[in-house]
Amino acid sequence: MHLSKAIVAAFFFVVLLGGTLAHGQLTPTFYDRTCPNVSSIISNVITETLVSDTRIGASLIRLHFHDCFVNGCDGSLLLDNTDTIESEKEANGNNNSARGFEVVDRMKALLESACPTTVSCADILAIAAEESVVLAGGPNWTVPLGRRDSTTASRDAANAFLPAPFFTLDQLRESFTNVSLNNNSDLVALSGAHTFGRAQCSTFVFRLYDFNGTGAPDSTIDPPFLEALQKLCPENGNGSVITDLDVTTADAFDSKYYSNLQCNRGLLQTDQELFSTPGADDVIALVNAFSANQTAFFESFVESMIRMGNISPLTGTEGEIRLNCRVVNANLAGPDSMLVSSI
């Protein structure tokens, strides 16, 4: 890492947090001595995976979002079911939709080989989110690091705190406020992650036929777009069929997402709510600003990603550095269990 870049990033991070580092220990230089190639290792795995899975970048950034929104950025989403853990993977917002776990496993295996017992699963998600954005043509930023991994998960908290695709703007605002994010600038900037990736018919089909019990489609959907979606997702059809979140540039990280909203071509209700909710002048102004100025979107997105990545991290001696992102160290069996006492 270039020294001047690290200093600037560290300063920027301090400013975001009002002059102090939350929990005192997240820093962009955390692995400079102990695992200097951590970002390149993660980036290489994403690059290799993109050859056969063009949506993996969007899937990985979604894992980071859904991890941070549930009791903070602690890697809890990655834990599998055990006798004592109800995995967050089976929460309503994740079940049969959150994906990319095998890719995270590959990253972790390579990092354990290069830098044993050093890089947390929570930090892997944070770095993977940034690298995914960069590889899709979006902005880069120096990720504050030093998170540790939880030893618990909470499916109930995931069900309570993850925003649902049918949320109104007021409900979205509440979701962001609940995790100490801004309910306008952070909400609109982070929603811009829907500039790439896919969504299943089940997440928006309710808009296409009987929206909110009206017996008619959502009136905010552009008619030709509605017709195309109805062909793709017939009523009572296969809810697992996927389509592009951004109908203009499906795999590029750019500002076209916001231009789509201006044309009433937001795929999810939660997308179009940002532009079509009456009286929502603050968020509508941001949609217009980001559509007109991609640089402004990128700058705001970076700021909001850093802020989100700082939601209640475990640091210092809290939590652990998992050897396997799916399992807490106390439940490991075999040769790896001998390493647990030193982490």
Side-chain angles (χ1 to χ4, degrees), residues 10 24 52 81 96 106 112 131 164 184 229 254 261 280 284 310:
S52 58
N81 282 319
N96 296 320
R106 292 205 298 275
E112 283 303 307
E131 295 293 339
N184 42 40
L229 292 177
D254 56 26
L261 301 187
I284 292 172
N310 193 62

Side-chain angles (χ1 to χ4, degrees), residues 247-283:
V247 298
T248 306
T249 52
D251 297 316
F253 198 96
D254 56 26
S255 61
K256 298 300 183 184
Y257 165 82
Y258 300 102
S259 303
N260 293 335
L261 301 187
Q262 293 173 316
C263 298
N264 292 327
R265 289 182 164 236
L267 183 64
L268 305 182
Q269 178 181 344
T270 49
D271 295 324
Q272 197 58 50
E273 288 277 331
L274 302 179
F275 188 74
S276 297
T277 300
D281 296 343
D282 55 341
V283 295

Side-chain angles (χ1 to χ4, degrees), residues 117 148 317 319-323 328-332 334-343:
T117 69
R148 288 170 65 86
T317 59
E320 63 184 17
I321 304 298
R322 278 186 229 138
L323 301 178
V328 299
N329 290 341
N331 290 341
L332 282 175
D336 284 344
S337 64
M338 302 297 293
L339 299 172
V340 173
S341 61
S342 65
I343 302 174

Side-chain angles (χ1 to χ4, degrees), residues 103-123:
V103 178
V104 175
D105 291 340
R106 292 205 298 275
M107 295 171 181
K108 182 60 174 173
L110 289 171
L111 288 166
E112 283 303 307
S113 177
C115 323
T117 69
T118 301
V119 181
S120 69
C121 301
D123 275 348

Side-chain angles (χ1 to χ4, degrees), residues 63-81 85-90 94 101 120-123 125 147-155 157-158 162 311-312 314 320 322 325-328:
L63 292 184
H64 184 44
F65 274 59
H66 284 212
D67 182 40
C68 291
F69 265 70
V70 182
N71 296 329
C73 310
D74 60 3
S76 60
L77 171 58
L78 303 175
L79 289 170
D80 286 341
N81 282 319
I85 290 176
E86 288 193 334
S87 176
E88 294 169 19
K89 295 176 183 179
E90 296 181 13
N94 296 322
F101 298 109
S120 69
C121 301
D123 275 348
L125 292 183
R147 301 167 191 82
R148 288 170 65 86
D149 298 321
S150 71
T151 56
T152 61
S154 177
R155 189 181 304 168
L162 291 178
I311 297 174
S312 303
L314 300 175
E320 63 184 17
R322 278 186 229 138
C325 291
R326 295 174 179 265
V327 185
V328 299

Side-chain angles (χ1 to χ4, degrees), residues 155-167:
R155 189 181 304 168
D156 288 342
N159 284 329
F161 288 106
L162 291 178
F166 52 79
F167 271 12

